[in-house]
Amino acid sequence: MIGNWPGHKFAAAFAGVVLVLWLIVMAVMMRQAALPPEAPGPLLAVFEPGMSEDEMFARIIAANGKPLRGTWLGFVWVVAGEEAGLAGRLEGQGAIGTYAELPFDPSLAGCFAFADAKVAEAFSLRP
Amino acid sequence: MTEQSLVKPTPWYYLPAVIIVSGCLVAMVNFGVRSTFGLFTTPISEVHAWPRETYSIAIALQNLLWGLATPIAGALADRYGSARVLMGGAVFYAIGTVLMASAASPALLYLGGGVLVGIGVAASSFGIVMAAFGRLVPPEKRSWAFGIATAAGSMGQFVFATSGGVLISAFGWYEALIILAFCSLLIIPFAMPLMAQNTSRSVVPLGEAEMSLRQAINGAFRNRSYNLLTAGFFVCGFQLAFVTVHLPPYLQEHGISQSFAGIAMGAIGLFNVVGSYYSGVIGGKYAKRIPLSIIYLLRSIAVVAFITLPITNVTTIMFTASLGLLWLSTVPLTMGLVTVMFGTRYMATLYGFVFLSHQVGSFFGVWLGGRLYDQFGSYDPVWWMGAALGIFAALVHLPIRERRSPSFAQPAPV
């Protein structure tokens, strides 16, 4: 095969491009996954990471929502509320987004994949 | 007509950088799509009112088929070229994933998510990509190429596993699986530049003996170094599968919070990218058996340190980060040794058998982990067993003869 074979800089650039593309795709899909403003609860409200628990609690109350519980991700709360428009009101109160569910599974699938329902359920964020 | 105009320029898709990117993208998709399957356990089980065990059996079958089909896919790749096998694997992968989504009975789920996806994963796996790299990349860059392919696979896990959940949230689980099936078909265009490689039907590579596939397999299994390598890779499978399955409950038992356990497991994936890449780099500079032996020794040291020290967030993250560095870092070195000992002509087949041993080790890691936990009420016996096996693997790699096996070398001219 003719030509110069790449090296470390190429590997770093490849990883960088993949990460940038991943961030773009994630941003687009997170917008796509967000609930419309008129959606009622129960739902997941995502606040800025680092916001205090009291602050998030107060904002949920101000949006006429009922804070049901926090999640393993400290900045995501499960919020109830049957009134339409809860999603929009939460966003008005500073929530970054509201979602019906955010499944997450930290199980590794290298040369051996494993579907552990308990692990998947423990980490998945569902109202 | 000038002399210059007669020289046919290399098409852009056969340029070295394009070949490496293509192989890496194939590895990313192959590892990535299947790393999302854990996310579908709950929705598929709930919608059909199946016990969770049904889905777990399908995934277990997938692992088994991946192991069994790898030597066969390897033989086909050696005969017809990696690119064609990767493309065929992508079709199996996609059909299996679609069948998983639409399976109305456990039998169909086993067929789709277990058998077809298992075959598809085997035929489009990084082992087949590395076989193409082995033939296309010059020997001095080969180990680096194996490293970057393995690292790309690890990166694919991260990219797809995080995107998979959002995909389900945005479109629903069924649509997400169909999208992932289409993603697996991307392997077809990604594999195109790998068509440039030669096959076992091509002219015998310089320095390699003329022999049939059967002769190559027989010759390899009569080679002590190959058997030692195969035994060592069994340990790799044992350790990795045990940690994958049993580390989360072990951490929970020792009071590590769920969120931190998730971060710790994620650290394995992250550090794995770095470890895989650099093991390829190291393999290109030094004798491969030595770093391989050191990796297994370090794994044992890490395990012993982890289970004997008090288990805290700090020791947990240190353990998973170090294990991540040592996770798939065995792969480029193992593949490299197969290439050094037997050449490139039947490398996919011969690596396939080594990998089968890995998958058998995985089975025992998972099974013994559960079995001995039930018997002793503790994971400690299996941790110690894993550490002892690591020492065993470190030792068995040392006597490996890192040179072309005599029966695989071209006889010297008389």
PDB file of all heavy atoms in Angstrom, chain B residues 261-292:
ATOM      1  N   ALA B 261     -21.206   3.908  41.556  1.00  0.00           N
ATOM      2  CA  ALA B 261     -20.901   2.646  40.869  1.00  0.00           C
ATOM      3  C   ALA B 261     -21.005   2.850  39.355  1.00  0.00           C
ATOM      4  O   ALA B 261     -20.183   2.329  38.593  1.00  0.00           O
ATOM      5  CB  ALA B 261     -21.860   1.553  41.322  1.00  0.00           C
ATOM      6  N   GLY B 262     -21.995   3.632  38.930  1.00  0.00           N
ATOM      7  CA  GLY B 262     -22.164   3.930  37.505  1.00  0.00           C
ATOM      8  C   GLY B 262     -20.967   4.686  36.959  1.00  0.00           C
ATOM      9  O   GLY B 262     -20.444   4.380  35.881  1.00  0.00           O
ATOM     10  N   ILE B 263     -20.504   5.682  37.732  1.00  0.00           N
ATOM     11  CA  ILE B 263     -19.334   6.470  37.314  1.00  0.00           C
ATOM     12  C   ILE B 263     -18.103   5.558  37.238  1.00  0.00           C
ATOM     13  O   ILE B 263     -17.307   5.630  36.309  1.00  0.00           O
ATOM     14  CB  ILE B 263     -19.092   7.642  38.296  1.00  0.00           C
ATOM     15  CG1 ILE B 263     -20.249   8.642  38.194  1.00  0.00           C
ATOM     16  CG2 ILE B 263     -17.762   8.336  38.035  1.00  0.00           C
ATOM     17  CD1 ILE B 263     -20.301   9.661  39.309  1.00  0.00           C
ATOM     18  N   ALA B 264     -17.977   4.695  38.246  1.00  0.00           N
ATOM     19  CA  ALA B 264     -16.809   3.799  38.302  1.00  0.00           C
ATOM     20  C   ALA B 264     -16.793   2.852  37.101  1.00  0.00           C
ATOM     21  O   ALA B 264     -15.736   2.622  36.500  1.00  0.00           O
ATOM     22  CB  ALA B 264     -16.823   3.006  39.602  1.00  0.00           C
ATOM     23  N   MET B 265     -17.965   2.309  36.743  1.00  0.00           N
ATOM     24  CA  MET B 265     -18.023   1.418  35.578  1.00  0.00           C
ATOM     25  C   MET B 265     -17.713   2.206  34.305  1.00  0.00           C
ATOM     26  O   MET B 265     -17.054   1.697  33.392  1.00  0.00           O
ATOM     27  CB  MET B 265     -19.413   0.754  35.459  1.00  0.00           C
ATOM     28  CG  MET B 265     -19.751  -0.203  36.578  1.00  0.00           C
ATOM     29  SD  MET B 265     -18.614  -1.585  36.748  1.00  0.00           S
ATOM     30  CE  MET B 265     -19.113  -2.664  35.420  1.00  0.00           C
ATOM     31  N   GLY B 266     -18.199   3.445  34.264  1.00  0.00           N
ATOM     32  CA  GLY B 266     -17.911   4.299  33.104  1.00  0.00           C
ATOM     33  C   GLY B 266     -16.421   4.552  32.964  1.00  0.00           C
ATOM     34  O   GLY B 266     -15.900   4.647  31.846  1.00  0.00           O
ATOM     35  N   ALA B 267     -15.725   4.641  34.121  1.00  0.00           N
ATOM     36  CA  ALA B 267     -14.274   4.891  34.091  1.00  0.00           C
ATOM     37  C   ALA B 267     -13.546   3.747  33.387  1.00  0.00           C
ATOM     38  O   ALA B 267     -12.546   3.973  32.698  1.00  0.00           O
ATOM     39  CB  ALA B 267     -13.739   5.065  35.507  1.00  0.00           C
ATOM     40  N   ILE B 268     -14.058   2.527  33.540  1.00  0.00           N
ATOM     41  CA  ILE B 268     -13.425   1.393  32.844  1.00  0.00           C
ATOM     42  C   ILE B 268     -13.465   1.651  31.341  1.00  0.00           C
ATOM     43  O   ILE B 268     -12.457   1.545  30.650  1.00  0.00           O
ATOM     44  CB  ILE B 268     -14.136   0.057  33.170  1.00  0.00           C
ATOM     45  CG1 ILE B 268     -14.017  -0.275  34.659  1.00  0.00           C
ATOM     46  CG2 ILE B 268     -13.540  -1.080  32.326  1.00  0.00           C
ATOM     47  CD1 ILE B 268     -14.661  -1.595  35.062  1.00  0.00           C
ATOM     48  N   GLY B 269     -14.663   2.024  30.858  1.00  0.00           N
ATOM     49  CA  GLY B 269     -14.830   2.261  29.425  1.00  0.00           C
ATOM     50  C   GLY B 269     -13.922   3.376  28.927  1.00  0.00           C
ATOM     51  O   GLY B 269     -13.295   3.261  27.866  1.00  0.00           O
ATOM     52  N   LEU B 270     -13.836   4.447  29.701  1.00  0.00           N
ATOM     53  CA  LEU B 270     -13.043   5.618  29.289  1.00  0.00           C
ATOM     54  C   LEU B 270     -11.547   5.285  29.238  1.00  0.00           C
ATOM     55  O   LEU B 270     -10.875   5.529  28.233  1.00  0.00           O
ATOM     56  CB  LEU B 270     -13.300   6.758  30.282  1.00  0.00           C
ATOM     57  CG  LEU B 270     -12.706   8.103  29.924  1.00  0.00           C
ATOM     58  CD1 LEU B 270     -13.421   8.694  28.714  1.00  0.00           C
ATOM     59  CD2 LEU B 270     -12.839   9.062  31.102  1.00  0.00           C
ATOM     60  N   PHE B 271     -11.044   4.694  30.305  1.00  0.00           N
ATOM     61  CA  PHE B 271      -9.609   4.383  30.363  1.00  0.00           C
ATOM     62  C   PHE B 271      -9.231   3.262  29.397  1.00  0.00           C
ATOM     63  O   PHE B 271      -8.087   3.141  28.984  1.00  0.00           O
ATOM     64  CB  PHE B 271      -9.195   4.036  31.798  1.00  0.00           C
ATOM     65  CG  PHE B 271      -9.030   5.255  32.655  1.00  0.00           C
ATOM     66  CD1 PHE B 271     -10.101   5.825  33.306  1.00  0.00           C
ATOM     67  CD2 PHE B 271      -7.791   5.873  32.776  1.00  0.00           C
ATOM     68  CE1 PHE B 271      -9.965   6.973  34.074  1.00  0.00           C
ATOM     69  CE2 PHE B 271      -7.636   7.018  33.530  1.00  0.00           C
ATOM     70  CZ  PHE B 271      -8.718   7.573  34.191  1.00  0.00           C
ATOM     71  N   ASN B 272     -10.231   2.451  29.059  1.00  0.00           N
ATOM     72  CA  ASN B 272     -10.016   1.375  28.111  1.00  0.00           C
ATOM     73  C   ASN B 272      -9.565   1.909  26.746  1.00  0.00           C
ATOM     74  O   ASN B 272      -8.727   1.305  26.080  1.00  0.00           O
ATOM     75  CB  ASN B 272     -11.348   0.620  27.995  1.00  0.00           C
ATOM     76  CG  ASN B 272     -11.314  -0.511  27.029  1.00  0.00           C
ATOM     77  OD1 ASN B 272     -10.273  -1.071  26.771  1.00  0.00           O
ATOM     78  ND2 ASN B 272     -12.459  -0.855  26.499  1.00  0.00           N
ATOM     79  N   VAL B 273     -10.126   3.064  26.347  1.00  0.00           N
ATOM     80  CA  VAL B 273      -9.765   3.651  25.047  1.00  0.00           C
ATOM     81  C   VAL B 273      -8.262   3.945  25.037  1.00  0.00           C
ATOM     82  O   VAL B 273      -7.545   3.589  24.098  1.00  0.00           O
ATOM     83  CB  VAL B 273     -10.571   4.951  24.792  1.00  0.00           C
ATOM     84  CG1 VAL B 273     -10.141   5.598  23.483  1.00  0.00           C
ATOM     85  CG2 VAL B 273     -12.067   4.668  24.780  1.00  0.00           C
ATOM     86  N   VAL B 274      -7.794   4.567  26.121  1.00  0.00           N
ATOM     87  CA  VAL B 274      -6.376   4.937  26.227  1.00  0.00           C
ATOM     88  C   VAL B 274      -5.502   3.678  26.292  1.00  0.00           C
ATOM     89  O   VAL B 274      -4.491   3.553  25.588  1.00  0.00           O
ATOM     90  CB  VAL B 274      -6.151   5.808  27.488  1.00  0.00           C
ATOM     91  CG1 VAL B 274      -4.698   6.229  27.608  1.00  0.00           C
ATOM     92  CG2 VAL B 274      -7.060   7.030  27.450  1.00  0.00           C
ATOM     93  N   GLY B 275      -5.903   2.732  27.146  1.00  0.00           N
ATOM     94  CA  GLY B 275      -5.120   1.509  27.337  1.00  0.00           C
ATOM     95  C   GLY B 275      -4.985   0.702  26.060  1.00  0.00           C
ATOM     96  O   GLY B 275      -3.887   0.228  25.728  1.00  0.00           O
ATOM     97  N   SER B 276      -6.091   0.560  25.317  1.00  0.00           N
ATOM     98  CA  SER B 276      -6.061  -0.223  24.079  1.00  0.00           C
ATOM     99  C   SER B 276      -5.113   0.410  23.072  1.00  0.00           C
ATOM    100  O   SER B 276      -4.322  -0.268  22.416  1.00  0.00           O
ATOM    101  CB  SER B 276      -7.452  -0.288  23.436  1.00  0.00           C
ATOM    102  OG  SER B 276      -8.391  -0.708  24.351  1.00  0.00           O
ATOM    103  N   TYR B 277      -5.212   1.736  22.957  1.00  0.00           N
ATOM    104  CA  TYR B 277      -4.385   2.434  21.966  1.00  0.00           C
ATOM    105  C   TYR B 277      -2.896   2.273  22.300  1.00  0.00           C
ATOM    106  O   TYR B 277      -2.095   1.887  21.449  1.00  0.00           O
ATOM    107  CB  TYR B 277      -4.773   3.914  21.911  1.00  0.00           C
ATOM    108  CG  TYR B 277      -3.939   4.700  20.912  1.00  0.00           C
ATOM    109  CD1 TYR B 277      -4.172   4.563  19.555  1.00  0.00           C
ATOM    110  CD2 TYR B 277      -2.913   5.532  21.331  1.00  0.00           C
ATOM    111  CE1 TYR B 277      -3.403   5.254  18.627  1.00  0.00           C
ATOM    112  CE2 TYR B 277      -2.139   6.227  20.419  1.00  0.00           C
ATOM    113  CZ  TYR B 277      -2.390   6.081  19.061  1.00  0.00           C
ATOM    114  OH  TYR B 277      -1.623   6.758  18.145  1.00  0.00           O
ATOM    115  N   TYR B 278      -2.566   2.542  23.556  1.00  0.00           N
ATOM    116  CA  TYR B 278      -1.144   2.507  23.916  1.00  0.00           C
ATOM    117  C   TYR B 278      -0.573   1.095  23.953  1.00  0.00           C
ATOM    118  O   TYR B 278       0.629   0.906  23.751  1.00  0.00           O
ATOM    119  CB  TYR B 278      -0.879   3.286  25.213  1.00  0.00           C
ATOM    120  CG  TYR B 278      -0.754   4.748  24.890  1.00  0.00           C
ATOM    121  CD1 TYR B 278      -1.804   5.615  25.105  1.00  0.00           C
ATOM    122  CD2 TYR B 278       0.400   5.245  24.286  1.00  0.00           C
ATOM    123  CE1 TYR B 278      -1.718   6.954  24.752  1.00  0.00           C
ATOM    124  CE2 TYR B 278       0.497   6.572  23.928  1.00  0.00           C
ATOM    125  CZ  TYR B 278      -0.557   7.430  24.163  1.00  0.00           C
ATOM    126  OH  TYR B 278      -0.460   8.740  23.787  1.00  0.00           O
ATOM    127  N   SER B 279      -1.409   0.096  24.198  1.00  0.00           N
ATOM    128  CA  SER B 279      -0.870  -1.269  24.144  1.00  0.00           C
ATOM    129  C   SER B 279      -0.457  -1.588  22.709  1.00  0.00           C
ATOM    130  O   SER B 279       0.546  -2.279  22.485  1.00  0.00           O
ATOM    131  CB  SER B 279      -1.861  -2.289  24.685  1.00  0.00           C
ATOM    132  OG  SER B 279      -2.755  -2.695  23.708  1.00  0.00           O
ATOM    133  N   GLY B 280      -1.205  -1.054  21.742  1.00  0.00           N
ATOM    134  CA  GLY B 280      -0.820  -1.227  20.340  1.00  0.00           C
ATOM    135  C   GLY B 280       0.506  -0.542  20.051  1.00  0.00           C
ATOM    136  O   GLY B 280       1.378  -1.101  19.376  1.00  0.00           O
ATOM    137  N   VAL B 281       0.661   0.662  20.591  1.00  0.00           N
ATOM    138  CA  VAL B 281       1.901   1.421  20.382  1.00  0.00           C
ATOM    139  C   VAL B 281       3.077   0.662  20.998  1.00  0.00           C
ATOM    140  O   VAL B 281       4.127   0.481  20.364  1.00  0.00           O
ATOM    141  CB  VAL B 281       1.776   2.837  21.018  1.00  0.00           C
ATOM    142  CG1 VAL B 281       3.103   3.573  20.952  1.00  0.00           C
ATOM    143  CG2 VAL B 281       0.681   3.629  20.310  1.00  0.00           C
ATOM    144  N   ILE B 282       2.881   0.194  22.229  1.00  0.00           N
ATOM    145  CA  ILE B 282       3.954  -0.529  22.935  1.00  0.00           C
ATOM    146  C   ILE B 282       4.296  -1.822  22.187  1.00  0.00           C
ATOM    147  O   ILE B 282       5.465  -2.178  22.028  1.00  0.00           O
ATOM    148  CB  ILE B 282       3.530  -0.822  24.401  1.00  0.00           C
ATOM    149  CG1 ILE B 282       3.484   0.497  25.184  1.00  0.00           C
ATOM    150  CG2 ILE B 282       4.481  -1.809  25.080  1.00  0.00           C
ATOM    151  CD1 ILE B 282       2.799   0.403  26.524  1.00  0.00           C
ATOM    152  N   GLY B 283       3.260  -2.511  21.703  1.00  0.00           N
ATOM    153  CA  GLY B 283       3.470  -3.762  20.962  1.00  0.00           C
ATOM    154  C   GLY B 283       4.293  -3.573  19.699  1.00  0.00           C
ATOM    155  O   GLY B 283       4.943  -4.504  19.229  1.00  0.00           O
ATOM    156  N   GLY B 284       4.253  -2.368  19.164  1.00  0.00           N
ATOM    157  CA  GLY B 284       5.025  -2.083  17.959  1.00  0.00           C
ATOM    158  C   GLY B 284       6.496  -1.815  18.258  1.00  0.00           C
ATOM    159  O   GLY B 284       7.325  -1.835  17.350  1.00  0.00           O
ATOM    160  N   LYS B 285       6.794  -1.540  19.523  1.00  0.00           N
ATOM    161  CA  LYS B 285       8.174  -1.164  19.873  1.00  0.00           C
ATOM    162  C   LYS B 285       8.932  -2.266  20.604  1.00  0.00           C
ATOM    163  O   LYS B 285      10.151  -2.316  20.536  1.00  0.00           O
ATOM    164  CB  LYS B 285       8.156   0.087  20.771  1.00  0.00           C
ATOM    165  CG  LYS B 285       7.718   1.334  20.006  1.00  0.00           C
ATOM    166  CD  LYS B 285       7.774   2.556  20.874  1.00  0.00           C
ATOM    167  CE  LYS B 285       7.390   3.790  20.065  1.00  0.00           C
ATOM    168  NZ  LYS B 285       7.150   4.948  20.888  1.00  0.00           N
ATOM    169  N   TYR B 286       8.195  -3.067  21.352  1.00  0.00           N
ATOM    170  CA  TYR B 286       8.859  -4.094  22.178  1.00  0.00           C
ATOM    171  C   TYR B 286       8.290  -5.468  21.859  1.00  0.00           C
ATOM    172  O   TYR B 286       7.276  -5.596  21.182  1.00  0.00           O
ATOM    173  CB  TYR B 286       8.649  -3.788  23.672  1.00  0.00           C
ATOM    174  CG  TYR B 286       9.035  -2.389  24.046  1.00  0.00           C
ATOM    175  CD1 TYR B 286       8.066  -1.402  24.193  1.00  0.00           C
ATOM    176  CD2 TYR B 286      10.372  -2.041  24.228  1.00  0.00           C
ATOM    177  CE1 TYR B 286       8.416  -0.090  24.523  1.00  0.00           C
ATOM    178  CE2 TYR B 286      10.731  -0.747  24.556  1.00  0.00           C
ATOM    179  CZ  TYR B 286       9.745   0.227  24.700  1.00  0.00           C
ATOM    180  OH  TYR B 286      10.105   1.506  25.007  1.00  0.00           O
ATOM    181  N   ALA B 287       8.930  -6.498  22.422  1.00  0.00           N
ATOM    182  CA  ALA B 287       8.414  -7.863  22.283  1.00  0.00           C
ATOM    183  C   ALA B 287       7.016  -7.894  22.903  1.00  0.00           C
ATOM    184  O   ALA B 287       6.819  -7.406  24.009  1.00  0.00           O
ATOM    185  CB  ALA B 287       9.335  -8.832  23.006  1.00  0.00           C
ATOM    186  N   LYS B 288       6.056  -8.450  22.169  1.00  0.00           N
ATOM    187  CA  LYS B 288       4.655  -8.353  22.597  1.00  0.00           C
ATOM    188  C   LYS B 288       4.337  -9.198  23.832  1.00  0.00           C
ATOM    189  O   LYS B 288       3.453  -8.882  24.620  1.00  0.00           O
ATOM    190  CB  LYS B 288       3.747  -8.754  21.443  1.00  0.00           C
ATOM    191  CG  LYS B 288       3.804  -7.758  20.298  1.00  0.00           C
ATOM    192  CD  LYS B 288       3.138  -8.317  19.070  1.00  0.00           C
ATOM    193  CE  LYS B 288       3.299  -7.435  17.857  1.00  0.00           C
ATOM    194  NZ  LYS B 288       4.688  -7.032  17.540  1.00  0.00           N
ATOM    195  N   ARG B 289       5.019 -10.309  23.981  1.00  0.00           N
ATOM    196  CA  ARG B 289       4.666 -11.210  25.088  1.00  0.00           C
ATOM    197  C   ARG B 289       4.968 -10.575  26.445  1.00  0.00           C
ATOM    198  O   ARG B 289       4.309 -10.883  27.438  1.00  0.00           O
ATOM    199  CB  ARG B 289       5.378 -12.549  24.936  1.00  0.00           C
ATOM    200  CG  ARG B 289       6.863 -12.483  25.154  1.00  0.00           C
ATOM    201  CD  ARG B 289       7.528 -13.807  24.872  1.00  0.00           C
ATOM    202  NE  ARG B 289       8.897 -13.803  25.342  1.00  0.00           N
ATOM    203  CZ  ARG B 289       9.904 -13.162  24.740  1.00  0.00           C
ATOM    204  NH1 ARG B 289       9.669 -12.463  23.644  1.00  0.00           N
ATOM    205  NH2 ARG B 289      11.114 -13.197  25.240  1.00  0.00           N
ATOM    206  N   ILE B 290       5.958  -9.676  26.487  1.00  0.00           N
ATOM    207  CA  ILE B 290       6.340  -9.086  27.781  1.00  0.00           C
ATOM    208  C   ILE B 290       5.249  -8.113  28.281  1.00  0.00           C
ATOM    209  O   ILE B 290       4.753  -8.278  29.403  1.00  0.00           O
ATOM    210  CB  ILE B 290       7.715  -8.378  27.681  1.00  0.00           C
ATOM    211  CG1 ILE B 290       8.791  -9.385  27.212  1.00  0.00           C
ATOM    212  CG2 ILE B 290       8.107  -7.738  29.006  1.00  0.00           C
ATOM    213  CD1 ILE B 290       9.047 -10.552  28.154  1.00  0.00           C
ATOM    214  N   PRO B 291       4.841  -7.121  27.468  1.00  0.00           N
ATOM    215  CA  PRO B 291       3.748  -6.264  27.949  1.00  0.00           C
ATOM    216  C   PRO B 291       2.469  -7.044  28.236  1.00  0.00           C
ATOM    217  O   PRO B 291       1.724  -6.722  29.160  1.00  0.00           O
ATOM    218  CB  PRO B 291       3.540  -5.249  26.820  1.00  0.00           C
ATOM    219  CG  PRO B 291       4.382  -5.659  25.692  1.00  0.00           C
ATOM    220  CD  PRO B 291       5.393  -6.620  26.186  1.00  0.00           C
ATOM    221  N   LEU B 292       2.234  -8.102  27.449  1.00  0.00           N
ATOM    222  CA  LEU B 292       1.040  -8.916  27.677  1.00  0.00           C
ATOM    223  C   LEU B 292       1.116  -9.585  29.054  1.00  0.00           C
ATOM    224  O   LEU B 292       0.142  -9.600  29.819  1.00  0.00           O
ATOM    225  CB  LEU B 292       0.961  -9.968  26.562  1.00  0.00           C
ATOM    226  CG  LEU B 292      -0.382 -10.595  26.245  1.00  0.00           C
ATOM    227  CD1 LEU B 292      -1.493  -9.578  26.125  1.00  0.00           C
ATOM    228  CD2 LEU B 292      -0.297 -11.393  24.942  1.00  0.00           C
TER     229      LEU B 292
END
